[in-house]
Amino acid sequence: MTVRYKATFFLMICFALISLSAQQECQIDESSAAETGELLSSGRIPSMVEKLIVIPLQNFMDLAAIMQATFIIICSVLVSKAKHKLIIHLARFKDSDSSHLGRFGLFNNLVDFVIFAVTLVFLSDVFSLSMGPGMKSLFAAGGMGALIFGLASKGLAEQVVGGLVVCAWDVFEEGDEIVLTKTGISGTVKRIRLADTAIMQHDNILVKVPNSQIFIQPVSNLSRVKMSPVGQSLRFKYSDLKKLPKVVEDIKKEILIHCGEDLVVVDGSKPFRAHIYDYKEDHVEVMVKCHLRTKPASTAYLDGRQKVLAAIAAVVEKNGLNFAIPAV
């Protein structure tokens, strides 16, 4: 919500409170019944025009109250604006690549609600509003209605609570590639709402998952993974066993030539290996494993994996070897 809309909304609240204050001024208290009788007998009772026009105008023209209310509204809008900028700064400080607020967005909305509530309290005090029997009955009916609605819609309440948990959880945000490990649903998050989360699967089918089912299961966020492993198991003949030590060294060198150190992690933080791994019944197994600086299941990952496989094939061909065909 922009500052302009917030200011307009607060001004509407202010005028509504002025109207309520005027209505309270027009009401005749039961304790002044005798005075009302005197007014009736003397013919000095205020007319309907005075009640509907003169008295509200007198309240409206109370410049002190209007200036106080205006000052409160301006302060509320400025505090909300400064708070919003601070939250955006904190969110970007946490993740400079993220364009979404995540859990900071939930905190932003909660603080807005607190500012709105405090503003209403101050405005009510400025216009000296009291809670009469009518408003008490209204709040009582609202509380009873909320209780009945809550009991009748337990599932919806769970989904709403789940939505709040998902927002505060900050495991994923709109645009992230996620995998729900329990249900097996995977795809791109399109929308996060209080009741459900919309996920576009890889087959372009949009699935809406209730939030009450999301926060009770493990979630893998592929978009927040900065590196992707590439592993390959190679089969060689026993007749080529003596050549394999040189082959595994050549594979590592060729991968660096094909991919470069900008793509392959070689600083020791992740394994970069090529070893004779095991003796099988009909072949010798060589294990190759490295990590690429790309996100999983992305086009960059597939291109990098292809370069790794091409490097392995080039080494095998250069050394005059052939892969062992599995025995039938």
Side-chain angles (χ1 to χ4, degrees), residues 40 50 100 108 112 169 174 192 199-200 206 211 232 267 269 273 280 292 323:
L40 285 172
E50 291 176 328
H100 302 276
N108 181 52
D112 272 339
W169 197 12
E174 293 182 2
I192 301 176
I199 300 175
M200 180 66 72
L206 187 66
N211 291 324
Q232 193 68 33
D267 57 3
S269 60
R273 303 167 181 164
K280 300 295 184 179
L292 306 179
F323 293 114

Side-chain angles (χ1 to χ4, degrees), residues 107-119:
F107 180 72
N108 181 52
N109 294 332
L110 291 176
V111 175
D112 272 339
F113 177 78
V114 173
I115 294 174
F116 175 73
V118 172
T119 303

Side-chain angles (χ1 to χ4, degrees), residues 21 40 121-122 137 153 157 179 259 328:
S21 177
L40 285 172
V121 171
F122 277 107
S137 300
S153 57
V179 178
C259 301
V328 179

Side-chain angles (χ1 to χ4, degrees), residues 4-281:
R4 181 181 61 183
Y5 292 140
K6 289 179 180 179
T8 304
F9 183 70
F10 279 127
L11 286 174
M12 292 174 61
I13 293 297
C14 180
F15 288 125
L17 291 174
I18 293 174
S19 177
L20 288 175
S21 177
Q23 291 178 13
Q24 287 188 353
E25 292 289 342
C26 293
Q27 292 178 355
I28 300 177
D29 190 73
E30 294 180 357
S31 62
S32 60
E35 181 181 353
T36 304
E38 294 178 1
L39 290 174
L40 285 172
S41 61
S42 61
R44 292 183 291 108
I45 186 169
S47 64
M48 185 62 67
V49 175
E50 291 176 328
K51 291 183 178 181
L52 296 179
I53 298 178
V54 177
I55 297 178
L57 283 177
Q58 290 175 351
N59 285 274
F60 183 76
M61 294 302 294
D62 188 353
L63 294 180
I66 296 298
M67 292 179 63
Q68 281 184 315
T70 304
F71 178 76
I72 292 173
I73 293 173
I74 293 175
C75 290
S76 300
V77 173
L78 293 178
V79 169
S80 178
K81 185 177 180 180
K83 174 266 309 173
H84 185 68
K85 289 184 178 180
L86 177 61
I87 289 178
I88 291 179
H89 178 73
L90 292 175
R92 290 178 178 175
F93 178 78
K94 175 178 175 290
D95 187 1
S96 59
D97 296 332
S98 177
S99 59
H100 302 276
L101 293 180
R103 72 176 66 180
F104 291 99
L106 176 63
F107 180 72
N108 181 52
N109 294 332
L110 291 176
V111 175
D112 272 339
F113 177 78
V114 173
I115 294 174
F116 175 73
V118 172
T119 303
L120 285 183
V121 171
F122 277 107
L123 291 177
S124 300
D125 182 67
V126 167
F127 296 109
S128 301
L129 293 178
S130 59
M131 187 177 294
M135 294 190 69
K136 290 181 179 179
S137 300
L138 179 62
F139 280 108
M144 182 62 66
L147 177 60
I148 296 175
F149 179 78
L151 294 176
S153 57
K154 180 182 177 182
L156 178 61
E158 290 179 352
Q159 293 180 12
V160 171
V161 172
L164 295 176
V165 173
V166 168
C167 292
W169 197 12
D170 200 26
V171 173
F172 58 85
E173 56 192 21
E174 293 182 2
D176 284 352
E177 186 85 11
I178 67 170
V179 178
L180 304 180
T181 56
K182 187 176 181 180
T183 58
I185 298 175
S186 62
T188 304
V189 179
K190 291 298 182 181
R191 291 187 305 274
I192 301 176
R193 297 184 293 191
L194 282 180
D196 55 51
T197 296
I199 300 175
M200 180 66 72
Q201 298 186 117
H202 300 294
D203 53 4
N204 291 328
I205 296 178
L206 187 66
V207 179
K208 294 183 178 180
V209 183
N211 291 324
S212 59
Q213 297 181 10
I214 293 180
F215 73 90
I216 61 174
Q217 63 177 309
V219 178
S220 300
N221 191 339
L222 303 182
S223 297
R224 297 187 182 180
V225 179
K226 304 301 182 182
M227 300 180 185
S228 305
V230 175
Q232 193 68 33
S233 177
L234 309 177
R235 300 164 55 96
F236 292 101
K237 300 176 182 178
Y238 275 99
S239 58
D240 297 327
L241 182 58
K242 293 182 179 181
K243 299 180 181 180
L244 294 184
K246 181 178 182 299
V247 169
V248 295
E249 293 299 325
D250 291 345
I251 287 177
K252 295 176 65 175
K253 295 177 182 178
E254 195 69 24
I255 289 176
L256 287 177
I257 294 175
H258 275 69
C259 301
E261 294 186 5
D262 293 337
L263 181 60
V264 181
V265 180
V266 293
D267 57 3
S269 60
K270 298 292 182 181
F272 179 38
R273 303 167 181 164
H275 298 282
I276 300 174
Y277 185 71
D278 198 4
Y279 293 123
K280 300 295 184 179
E281 182 178 352

